[in-house]
Amino acid sequence: MLYYLLYEQLHKYVSPFRVFSYTTFRTAFASLTALFLCIALGPWLIHKLRQFQIGQYIREEGPKSHQKKAGTPTMGGVLIIISIVIPTLLWADLRYPSVWAAIAALLGFGWIGFLDDYSKVTNHRNLGLTGKRKLVYQFIMGFAFAAILLVMRAYGDFSTQMNIPFFKQFKPSLVILSLTQNPWTWVLGVAPFCIFVALVVVFVSNAVNLTDGLDGLAIGLMVIAAGALTILTYLGGHAQLAQYLELARSPRTSELTIFCGSMTGASLGFLWYNAHPAEIFMGDVGSLGLGGAMAVVAILIKQEVLLLFIGGIFIVEAVSVILQVGSFKLRGGKRIFKMAPLHHHFEALGWAESKIIARFWIAGLVLALFALTTLKLR
């Protein structure tokens, strides 16, 4: 909106407004807008959540030290989503379909999280939607986004080629072109791509959700991941830099930098209130929304594989749960960890919550920096 007004309409009359044509300038403004919007609205939302008695319910099988957190306002992810969407609408060029796809992912998965949080509040216990029901909703959303991406591909706004770390020339595509030439086999040709997209967005959104178990842990890691994605979206959308780094890029994805900058700023703003001891929790509406948006952005800029490092701690947390459940079922009740997800294992070992959070942040930063170095080490 402001991009259209200040640059496309007014820069011909006010020459300094040309700066609004630069993606880096608008990304900085979007990040600051998201940060200050989140900080400004935080106290009001915390007050309203307390007023309506929307507090966190702690699961009984969790660490005993978490029982004191019961009643802390939750569903703060609504604040994060608002603080991402508004700056994106203000500062991005909204004619780019990739921007709308990212916003749709944030809102779509955020809505699933909202249904889960609302169910917990109404049931007065830490049990929302059933696992199967939540997965059904998530896979429906995942396949819907795969379909959107295929439509974008048909109009030249998306490429199904992927960037593979350490290999410049190897850019595989999960769409089987030979099958897509025939209308009778077209579905078989795009099926691997659709399944892959659905699995990525469902796994990553749940990974962020599982990591959201300590004050500031998930949102601090999201600051790092969103910051890395901001850099990657800028590089992938810059013609010269993308050519220099030999990146397989989708055309017209540079405006996603604005969205990722807003995600970084909003995450920083929410950390202001979510840092230990937390005044508010993001809830599933925030964790699922952020996870889904992060996954879709990575797919749009063709960095699905690199997402393993950008969101490395999220992935490790999710894998720890899978291993724990698998071990319990297949080995007659034997566990690998004292408790899952992984951050609870370290709590059971006696680590202080603040120490776990800080060390996980450090590990997340190292993995994100490694992800960025792979752009050149190929």
Side-chain angles (χ1 to χ4, degrees), residues 129-151:
L129 300 175
T130 62
K132 289 183 179 179
R133 189 176 181 183
K134 189 189 295 186
L135 281 175
V136 168
Y137 289 163
Q138 289 176 306
F139 271 105
I140 290 173
M141 197 70 66
F143 282 114
F145 281 112
I148 291 172
L149 295 177
L150 289 174
V151 173

Side-chain angles (χ1 to χ4, degrees), residues 340-360:
L342 189 61
H343 56 262
H344 287 327
H345 171 77
F346 288 108
E347 277 192 294
L349 290 177
W351 288 26
E353 182 172 347
S354 57
K355 180 172 288 188
I356 297 171
I357 296 166
R359 289 179 174 176
F360 274 45

Side-chain angles (χ1 to χ4, degrees), residues 96-320:
Y96 285 65
S98 56
V99 175
W100 289 107
I103 292 175
L106 178 68
L107 295 176
F109 279 90
W111 176 249
I112 296 173
F114 176 82
L115 294 177
D116 193 39
D117 287 333
Y118 184 76
S119 180
K120 292 175 184 177
V121 172
T122 55
N123 292 331
H124 301 288
R125 57 188 304 194
N126 191 44
L127 290 174
L129 300 175
T130 62
K132 289 183 179 179
R133 189 176 181 183
K134 189 189 295 186
L135 281 175
V136 168
Y137 289 163
Q138 289 176 306
F139 271 105
I140 290 173
M141 197 70 66
F143 282 114
F145 281 112
I148 291 172
L149 295 177
L150 289 174
V151 173
M152 290 173 59
R153 174 179 176 268
Y155 285 93
D157 291 315
F158 178 73
S159 170
T160 55
Q161 286 186 323
M162 293 189 295
N163 291 302
I164 304 297
F166 308 111
F167 297 94
K168 288 186 177 182
Q169 305 303 323
F170 183 52
K171 299 173 183 178
S173 173
L174 292 176
V175 172
I176 306 173
L177 295 178
S178 59
L179 294 178
T180 59
Q181 305 303 317
N182 189 322
W184 295 102
T185 59
W186 185 85
V187 173
L188 293 176
V190 300
F193 172 78
C194 294
I195 294 172
F196 175 75
V197 169
L199 287 174
V200 169
V201 294
V202 171
F203 182 79
V204 174
S205 61
N206 281 311
V208 177
N209 181 236
L210 290 169
T211 306
D212 185 32
L214 300 179
D215 297 353
L217 175 60
I219 200 64
L221 291 169
M222 185 54 65
V223 171
I224 297 169
L229 284 174
T230 303
I231 296 172
L232 289 172
T233 50
Y234 177 73
L235 294 175
H238 194 288
Q240 288 77 23
L241 290 175
Q243 183 178 7
Y244 171 69
L245 294 170
E246 297 187 44
L247 297 176
R249 71 185 187 98
S250 297
R252 306 178 70 185
T253 57
S254 61
E255 290 299 307
L256 279 175
T257 312
I258 312 298
F259 178 84
C260 292
S262 299
M263 192 156 57
T264 305
S267 298
L268 273 173
F270 190 76
L271 183 59
W272 184 272
Y273 300 107
N274 188 234
H276 183 70
E279 301 173 59
I280 187 173
F281 297 139
M282 72 169 79
D284 285 10
V285 61
S287 58
L288 290 180
L290 288 171
M294 180 171 69
V296 168
V297 168
I299 293 169
L300 285 167
I301 63 173
K302 313 317 305 159
Q303 296 293 355
E304 302 94 327
V305 178
L306 213 55
L307 190 59
L308 292 171
F309 301 105
I310 296 171
I313 299 301
F314 297 128
I315 305 301
V316 169
E317 291 269 39
V319 170
S320 71

Side-chain angles (χ1 to χ4, degrees), residues 11-53:
H11 95 278
K12 63 187 74 172
Y13 307 109
V14 185
S15 58
F17 282 179
R18 282 198 306 269
V19 296
F20 292 105
S21 66
Y22 299 120
T23 303
T24 49
F25 190 83
R26 287 183 287 119
T27 299
F29 266 72
S31 300
L32 291 173
T33 303
L35 172 64
F36 291 122
L37 188 62
C38 198
I39 291 177
L41 293 178
W44 174 82
L45 181 63
I46 293 172
H47 171 71
K48 287 297 181 182
L49 291 173
R50 289 189 184 278
Q51 182 179 342
F52 291 108
Q53 297 182 342

